[in-house]
Amino acid sequence: MKLYNLMLFLFVCIHSGFAQVPVIQKSPQAKVQFRVGMTDVSIEYSSPAVKGRKIWGGIVPFDQVWRAGANQATVVSFSSPVMMGGKELQPGKYAFFLIPKKTGRWTAILNSDAGQWGAYTYDQSKDAIRMDVRVDELNVPIERLRYDIEDYSLEEGALVMSWENKQITVPFYVNTLAPAIFKYDSLISTLKPEERWFYQAEKADMLFEFGRTAMADS
């Protein structure tokens, strides 16, 4: 009995020691987040490396649903509704997939099942958005897969994935003007007349930026 207890004690000690040793991840987890207009956008993913392998048409086959990263499916989240591929996407988290093509545009997918491991349980019936997206060739190869969130204006942005010699751009649009006007008007209505000028000026600047000069002058 004493020998059993000693062996159990040593096992627990060794196991605890290993648990505290940092583990090098082949595809480390990463996250990027940004605000486009008034919408918070984030992408959580695992980042594999090229390591001299053939990526497109190799470890990532053409014409098959790909997790657009490694390990668990890449997850994209929006804090407010966005327009993608001519459809409105509700706020929330979505699994992001790509279907690479040998030539032409690729297919981008946002699937409502955000908790998937890879694409092994992918169900097309749960797709919220499917759209064809632009693919560009990179002059300088990128060793490790990377995501970025671009903002081209207060109402236009894009999810951008870059890896090896490819860059994929997935555009989206947000409704910034109407919610912003509502918030300014709600705040201004609660203030005394002598306190309103600052927020009225900020509202006017925003309307000028959107090209709504008539509304800004009113």
Side-chain angles (χ1 to χ4, degrees):
M1 188 66 179
K2 290 183 178 180
L3 179 59
Y4 171 80
N5 290 336
L6 177 60
M7 292 176 64
L8 180 62
F9 174 75
L10 291 174
F11 172 79
V12 171
C13 290
I14 292 171
H15 181 74
S16 300
F18 278 129
Q20 296 173 11
V21 176
V23 177
I24 298 175
Q25 296 179 319
K26 293 182 179 179
S27 301
Q29 292 180 323
K31 181 177 182 178
V32 59
Q33 53 190 7
F34 197 71
R35 174 169 288 186
V36 179
M38 298 177 66
T39 302
D40 294 320
V41 185
S42 70
I43 307 173
E44 299 176 69
Y45 62 102
S46 294
S47 177
V50 175
K51 295 182 179 179
R53 300 174 294 178
K54 178 178 174 59
I55 302 302
W56 313 118
I59 65 169
V60 179
F62 292 123
D63 303 314
Q64 294 184 27
V65 176
W66 172 53
R67 69 185 106 189
N71 302 326
Q72 187 170 348
T74 296
V75 176
V76 176
S77 66
F78 300 98
S79 66
S80 62
V82 301
M83 293 294 296
M84 299 184 77
K87 297 180 180 179
E88 185 176 65
L89 189 68
Q90 294 302 310
K93 292 186 175 184
Y94 298 88
F96 178 67
F97 299 102
L98 288 167
I99 301 179
K101 307 289 180 65
K102 190 171 184 178
T103 60
R105 295 164 75 87
W106 292 11
T107 300
I109 300 167
L110 285 162
N111 186 275
S112 60
D113 183 3
Q116 303 179 60
W117 180 267
Y120 300 107
T121 59
Y122 165 75
D123 183 351
Q124 184 173 339
S125 68
K126 296 181 180 180
D127 287 352
I129 296 289
R130 264 192 175 228
M131 57 189 290
D132 291 335
V133 294
R134 192 178 83 235
V135 181
D136 296 309
E137 295 287 329
L138 295 173
N139 293 325
V140 179
I142 293 180
E143 172 66 18
R144 191 170 286 284
L145 183 146
R146 183 182 73 207
Y147 278 93
D148 295 288
I149 300 169
E150 300 286 350
D151 65 326
Y152 305 127
S153 71
L154 290 174
E155 292 194 302
E156 182 180 9
L159 314 175
V160 181
M161 191 208 75
S162 306
W163 195 26
E164 208 240 7
N165 62 341
K166 305 287 187 185
Q167 181 168 283
I168 294 84
T169 302
V170 184
F172 63 87
Y173 302 87
V174 298
N175 181 8
T176 297
L177 186 57
I181 290 176
F182 176 78
K183 288 190 175 183
Y184 272 118
D185 288 345
S186 298
L187 176 61
I188 290 169
S189 67
T190 65
L191 301 175
K192 297 177 181 179
E194 63 271 17
E195 298 173 333
R196 297 175 181 172
W197 67 270
F198 176 80
Y199 298 101
Q200 288 171 333
E202 278 200 341
K203 176 184 171 182
D205 286 342
M206 179 193 67
L207 291 169
F208 272 117
E209 190 168 348
F210 276 93
R212 309 295 176 86
T213 53
M215 293 176 65
D217 292 333
S218 62

